[in-house]
Amino acid sequence: MTRTVVVSGGGTGIGYAVAERFAADGDRVTLVGRREEVLAEAAGKIGDQASYVVADLAEIEGAETVATHAADRFGTVDVIVANAGGNIGLQAPEQQPEGLAGVSWIWTENLRLNVITAVHLVEGLKPILADHGRILLFSSIAAYRGSGSGSYAASKAALHPYAIDLSAELGHRGITANVIAPGYVQDTEFFGAGISEQRRAWNIDLTHSKRPGTPADIAALAHWLAAPEGGNVTAQIIQSNGGALAGR
């Protein structure tokens, strides 16, 4: 059966890989993001099964735009993939003010990027989420081991109890809600211009598998969690980090 899947941050990296994986299985995917040219290119690569919506999910109006598109075009949604996010300290450090104002700014922006975008997307689409639907939120290994500034890790960790509450609220309809927490994943825009070879090697050395994660790894996990076979897995935070959190 063809499903309708909405993927935020779907134009690049993990989000694109997730959308591509669902489309390969015959599902209809809607990519959501702030950059039209990126979304248009991604949808074009995926093909006729893909559409896109330009929206800033940190704003209520953006979520309303996505919900209206989904309701008008499909009627219902089967899978919500709240992948959009990032670390503002890595993306735009030059914007951070000094002193306490800077601390407040980075905490607020990371909460907007990682928590508010997910909440707006899920809550906006929840009224049209089909029975036996799936909600996937995206955390990080940082939620377990910290992120340096505290704000990025805390914003990701905030999604863990949100998934548990969603599972409790919607479970009687066969809907599951889970969190995927990746470790280091290469070939994404997370680090902006990229990281040094030394930092990349350090991240890989932390793993037991001695390789970086890939967007395809995360897409395969997301696809399984959204499959009928994953129907008894809910309210879980599932890590994919090659053993990096466990250590040596």
Side-chain angles (χ1 to χ4, degrees), residues 2 22 30 37 68 88 92 102 113 116 127 152 155 165 170 180-181 183 194 223 229 248:
T2 299
F22 278 99
T30 295
E37 66 281 4
T68 298
I88 194 66
L113 274 175
I116 299 304
Y152 172 71
S155 67
D165 288 347
L170 302 171
I180 295 174
H223 188 263
E229 293 80 2
R248 298 179 185 179

Side-chain angles (χ1 to χ4, degrees), residues 140-141 144 179-183 218 221 237-242 244-246:
S140 166
I141 192 173
Y144 294 91
V179 182
I180 295 174
I218 309 304
L221 175 57
I237 297 89
I238 298 140
Q239 299 183 55
S240 178
N241 56 46
L245 186 65

Side-chain angles (χ1 to χ4, degrees), residues 86-87 90 110 114 138-158 160 180-184 190-191 199 203 237 239-241 244-245:
N87 187 344
L90 296 176
N110 272 335
N114 297 298
F138 278 75
S139 178
S140 166
I141 192 173
Y144 294 91
R145 69 181 188 192
S147 58
S149 70
S151 60
Y152 172 71
S155 67
K156 286 301 190 181
H160 299 186
I180 295 174
Y184 171 57
F190 179 79
F191 291 100
R199 177 68 183 276
N203 281 320
I237 297 89
Q239 299 183 55
S240 178
N241 56 46
L245 186 65

Side-chain angles (χ1 to χ4, degrees), residues 12-21 83 138 180 182-189 211-223 240:
T12 62
I14 290 173
Y16 174 78
V18 169
E20 187 178 46
R21 180 66 184 84
N83 164 74
F138 278 75
I180 295 174
Y184 171 57
V185 178
Q186 67 179 9
D187 300 326
T188 75
E189 294 183 338
R211 73 168 180 87
T214 68
D217 291 330
I218 309 304
L221 175 57
H223 188 263
S240 178

Side-chain angles (χ1 to χ4, degrees), residues 3 22 79 132-134 136 176 221-231:
R3 297 179 297 176
F22 278 99
V79 183
H132 305 288
R134 301 286 187 261
L136 297 175
T176 66
L221 175 57
H223 188 263
W224 183 83
L225 286 170
E229 293 80 2

Side-chain angles (χ1 to χ4, degrees), residues 54-168:
V54 180
D56 182 355
L57 292 172
E59 304 296 335
I60 292 173
E61 294 79 8
E64 290 174 340
T65 297
V66 175
T68 298
H69 170 89
D72 290 348
R73 183 159 183 171
F74 308 114
T76 60
V77 169
D78 299 289
V79 183
I80 303 171
V81 182
N83 164 74
N87 187 344
I88 194 66
L90 296 176
Q91 294 179 1
E94 71 283 351
Q95 296 181 18
Q96 184 175 356
E98 295 183 356
L100 182 57
V103 174
S104 178
W105 177 82
I106 197 168
W107 274 83
T108 300
E109 289 304 309
N110 272 335
L111 287 169
R112 280 168 54 83
L113 274 175
N114 297 298
V115 181
I116 299 304
T117 56
V119 171
H120 281 172
L121 181 68
V122 172
E123 299 299 326
L125 292 175
K126 197 161 63 174
I128 59 170
L129 183 60
D131 289 348
H132 305 288
R134 301 286 187 261
I135 299 171
L136 297 175
L137 309 179
F138 278 75
S139 178
S140 166
I141 192 173
Y144 294 91
R145 69 181 188 192
S147 58
S149 70
S151 60
Y152 172 71
S155 67
K156 286 301 190 181
L159 297 173
H160 299 186
Y162 181 42
I164 294 169
D165 288 347
L166 287 168
S167 176

